[in-house]
Amino acid sequence: MPLVAEVRYNTPYRALAQAYTSLDSLAIEAAYTTAAVYLTPTGPKTGKAAIGAYLGGFLAAVQSKGAVLTLSFALVHRSVSAEVVTDVGYYRLQTTLPDGSTTVGYGKFVTQSLEELGAYRFAFDTDRGGVTEADFNAATPLPLH
């Protein structure tokens, strides 16, 4: 099976990318299970409401500047067991300011997803920096359509 063949496993990535585009912290919650854990530089956030609030603070700051976000993902490894999908990969976050200027940042992630309420959602998520554009471009793009 190709790395990204199972589109249903990409559901939480699609939800997260759409939430970033729409700057909607409640939509972020849709990407996570009820008891999800997100490891952040400031410590773990537990539960989709806490994760939505944490990432929502970032989205609010972006919105106050009138900026637009575009989030995309690329996979390095995907492992599927009977109940859990484990992904290792990179993300690219582009910020476009009202004057048209853009900045691009990259990071790496490890996620574990499982099915909850009829869709795959992140049960575990962590991210770190230290990724280059070359790293991102060498990985398999994750289709979000």
Side-chain angles (χ1 to χ4, degrees):
M1 171 174 56
L3 193 58
V4 295
E6 288 286 344
V7 174
R8 64 192 171 127
Y9 300 148
N10 301 340
T11 302
Y13 297 99
R14 189 170 33 260
L16 198 58
Q18 289 170 350
Y20 271 60
T21 298
S22 62
L23 302 174
D24 184 350
S25 62
L26 290 177
I28 285 175
E29 293 182 25
Y32 291 88
T33 63
T34 303
V37 175
Y38 179 49
L39 297 182
T40 75
T42 61
K45 307 302 178 203
T46 303
K48 66 182 183 178
I51 295 166
Y54 174 77
L55 294 174
F58 167 69
L59 297 184
V62 168
Q63 190 170 36
S64 73
K65 295 176 184 175
V68 176
L69 297 176
T70 305
L71 180 62
S72 53
F73 303 93
L75 293 184
V76 174
H77 177 77
R78 172 170 277 169
S79 173
V80 180
S81 71
E83 296 181 14
V84 177
V85 178
T86 302
D87 289 334
V88 177
Y90 305 123
Y91 66 86
R92 177 183 189 270
L93 181 60
Q94 178 176 305
T95 305
T96 304
L97 296 174
D99 67 3
S101 63
T102 61
T103 59
V104 177
Y106 297 90
K108 52 188 162 187
F109 63 85
V110 175
T111 62
Q112 289 191 314
S113 304
L114 52 89
E115 202 166 1
E116 181 181 87
L117 302 174
Y120 276 86
R121 301 172 197 281
F122 297 130
F124 174 79
D125 187 5
T126 184
D127 74 76
R128 305 195 96 160
V131 173
T132 66
E133 181 178 12
D135 294 329
F136 181 85
N137 290 337
T140 303
L142 191 64
L144 297 177
H145 42 78

